[in-house]
Each structure stands twice: as C-alpha cells, then as structure tokens.
Amino acid sequence: MKRAPLLVLAGTVAGFTGVLIFHTRPATLMQPAAGTGANSSRSATATATATAGNRGVAGPGAVRRAVGASEQFGYGVLDVKVTVRGTRITNVSVPTLEVAEYTSRQICEQAIPLLRTEVLTAQSARIDGVSGATYTSEAYAASLQAALDALHMK
C-alpha cells in the first residue's frame, strides 16, 4: 500500500518526460515550381499565343492561356492555369501548390484531378466541390474564375 504513491509519482514523471521529449516533424511550406511566384496579391495574368496560321494575331481558334490569382485556402496556397482554344477549355493545371502539412498535400493530390475533370466537363468555373476538400475546391474555383476572367470567358 505504501508503494502506490511511489508508482503514481514514477508514472507521472515518466509521462511528463515523454511529453517533453516528444518532437513533431516541423511543418514546412512546399516551394513553388521554378518560374512561378506565390504572391496572393498578384492579379490574374493572361498570355495569348497564336497558332501558326494566324501569324501573331489571336483569332477565334487561337490557343490562349491564363494563370489565376494565387488563392489562400485553409491549408496552403494554390493557383490554376487554364488553356483555352476558341471558347473551349482544353486544359487545366495547378502550377503552384504550397501546403504546410503532408496530409493536406495528399488531400489536394486526390482532389485536384477530380476538380480538373469537373472543369473540362462543365467548361466553366461552376463546378461541384470535392467532399472532404472543401477549402481546396473553393480556392481552385476562385483561381480558375480569375483566369477565365482574364481571358474574358464565362
């Protein structure tokens, strides 16, 4: 019976020591790809490229690209690049994705292909979000809309 307080004290000291020496992996932001910046105040930029037959004039069939504004979401920053031929969205990508946690990166890596498919199917920024990735879906749609606005599309 006299040993019970000693065991409680030893358990408390061991638990407290365990908490003090417990180290979590430090959260680091992923660096953006070379040549891209992650400035959240940056406005959407658009660059037009002409097809070979147009000789520098962006016509109705010209391929145009725009990168939407960097959008801050609950777990990081992303921006969306859209490629348009005429009035049709032909490609959507995410050139900048910065997240602080490994789990957030996994969620984004699963959600972004689904969002891309939604955009190519809907041909607009009016898309359904991905369940479990609400913040990512909202940031993706906002950056996509900024890129489409820069291209003067709906």
Side-chain angles (χ1 to χ4, degrees):
M1 200 62 154
K2 292 183 180 183
R3 286 189 228 172
L6 183 60
L7 291 176
V8 170
L9 181 63
T12 303
V13 169
F16 186 69
T17 304
V19 169
L20 288 178
I21 63 171
F22 180 72
H23 293 286
T24 60
R25 185 172 53 95
T28 58
L29 283 177
M30 304 303 286
Q31 295 300 318
T36 61
N39 183 359
S40 59
S41 65
R42 179 184 76 184
S43 63
T45 58
T47 58
T49 59
T51 59
N54 290 338
R55 306 188 95 202
V57 178
V63 175
R64 300 176 295 150
R65 294 176 183 85
V67 177
S70 293
E71 292 291 329
Q72 178 79 34
F73 63 104
Y75 305 101
V77 177
L78 66 76
D79 58 18
V80 176
K81 179 180 179 181
V82 64
T83 304
V84 175
R85 179 178 210 101
T87 59
R88 184 156 179 79
I89 298 172
T90 58
N91 193 20
V92 183
S93 63
V94 178
T96 303
L97 175 63
E98 299 176 16
V99 293
E101 300 172 358
Y102 179 72
T103 304
S104 299
R105 177 162 287 281
Q106 285 182 319
I107 291 170
C108 289
E109 286 174 354
Q110 291 177 7
I112 288 172
L114 297 172
L115 293 167
R116 179 183 184 275
T117 302
E118 287 278 334
V119 170
L120 294 176
T121 302
Q123 289 294 302
S124 74
R126 298 183 72 182
I127 57 174
D128 292 331
V130 175
S131 178
T134 304
Y135 296 141
T136 304
S137 299
E138 290 172 353
Y140 188 95
S143 182
L144 175 65
Q145 186 61 58
L148 292 174
D149 290 345
L151 293 172
H152 305 291
M153 292 189 60
K154 291 183 181 181

